[in-house]
Amino acid sequence: MTGAKTRIAVLVSGGGTNLQALVDAQSRGEIPHGEIVLVVSNKAGAYALTRAEKAGIPGVVVEKKKGEQQDFEDRLSAILQEYRVDMIVLAGFLAILSGDFTARWPRRILNIHPSLIPSFCGEGFYGLRVHQAALDYGVKVTGATVHYVNEIPDGGEIIAQKAVDILPGDTPEILQRRVMEQAEWILLPRATELAAKELTERSTQQ
Ligand code: GRF
């Protein structure tokens, strides 16, 4: 491999099990083209920040107050610049990023969504609501999707998907756990490596 590793920031809002999957994959040498250099949470006290600390990765809180967008994104951009971040992974990050922000990071922001896009995605589909919607519809297979982020919620190019069976008696909580174990925690590190590799190749061609 030539050139430097892609410098990755992981943006979180909650428990951070997907962040943990990335950290664990990195320590097993499964993200050779990337390095997680920063974790940003929009929620103070998110357990994901404790995971970052345990892994020796700098963790920063950038809170978004009600109604503000520009100021939040300015503060976020400043911290990303300070850490010379090349690529952003949204791992359970619940704050909305504007089209202006995402346009400045083309094919440089990834998101994990807990369904097979284009099912059960877009505005309002987050957390347990996604799994509730899949159960309400009665689909027999769901899964997870990692995609690039653009101005359309959950609408960017798909990088990877993995299917997961829905079983009799599933609740949103049981299904959420199965989708995480069988899809999200496997898919996100793989897709992160793919995207990081693409970026290192792009920068060595320039
Ligand atoms: C995951 O289900 C992810 O797909 C969704 O939010 C959840 C985050 O969980 N976007 P965690 O914070 O990574 O544990």
Side-chain angles (χ1 to χ4, degrees), residues 28-102:
R28 291 193 301 265
E30 291 169 11
I31 311 182
H33 292 85
E35 184 186 356
I36 304 166
V37 296
L38 176 68
V39 171
V40 179
S41 172
N42 69 321
K43 298 256 182 276
Y47 187 67
L49 289 167
T50 306
R51 293 182 192 271
E53 197 186 331
K54 284 186 179 163
I57 300 166
V60 172
V61 177
V62 181
E63 274 174 316
K64 180 176 167 183
K65 298 191 187 72
K66 234 186 150 137
E68 82 168 7
Q69 186 70 32
Q70 186 70 50
D71 188 54
F72 166 68
E73 290 182 356
D74 287 350
R75 283 180 286 123
L76 180 59
S77 297
I79 194 88
L80 295 171
Q81 206 175 346
E82 186 184 329
Y83 281 85
R84 292 178 289 115
V85 168
D86 303 307
M87 188 175 111
I88 298 169
V89 178
L90 307 181
F93 184 65
L94 294 176
I96 300 289
L97 296 170
S98 72
D100 278 353
F101 184 94
T102 59

Side-chain angles (χ1 to χ4, degrees), residues 122-186:
E123 242 174 282
F125 285 97
Y126 60 88
L128 287 172
R129 291 177 187 214
V130 179
H131 303 293
Q132 183 70 64
L135 292 173
D136 288 347
Y137 198 96
V139 292
K140 302 301 175 206
V141 175
T142 185
T145 303
V146 180
H147 62 92
Y148 285 115
V149 174
N150 63 11
E151 70 286 0
I152 304 158
D154 297 326
E157 184 186 323
I158 290 172
I159 302 169
Q161 291 187 300
K162 196 165 190 299
V164 174
D165 284 339
I166 292 181
L167 301 177
D170 272 354
T171 62
E173 290 80 5
I174 292 171
L175 184 56
Q176 179 182 53
R177 183 75 195 179
R178 189 180 311 117
V179 169
M180 283 178 160
E181 285 176 357
Q182 295 185 6
E184 295 185 44
W185 301 338
I186 301 163

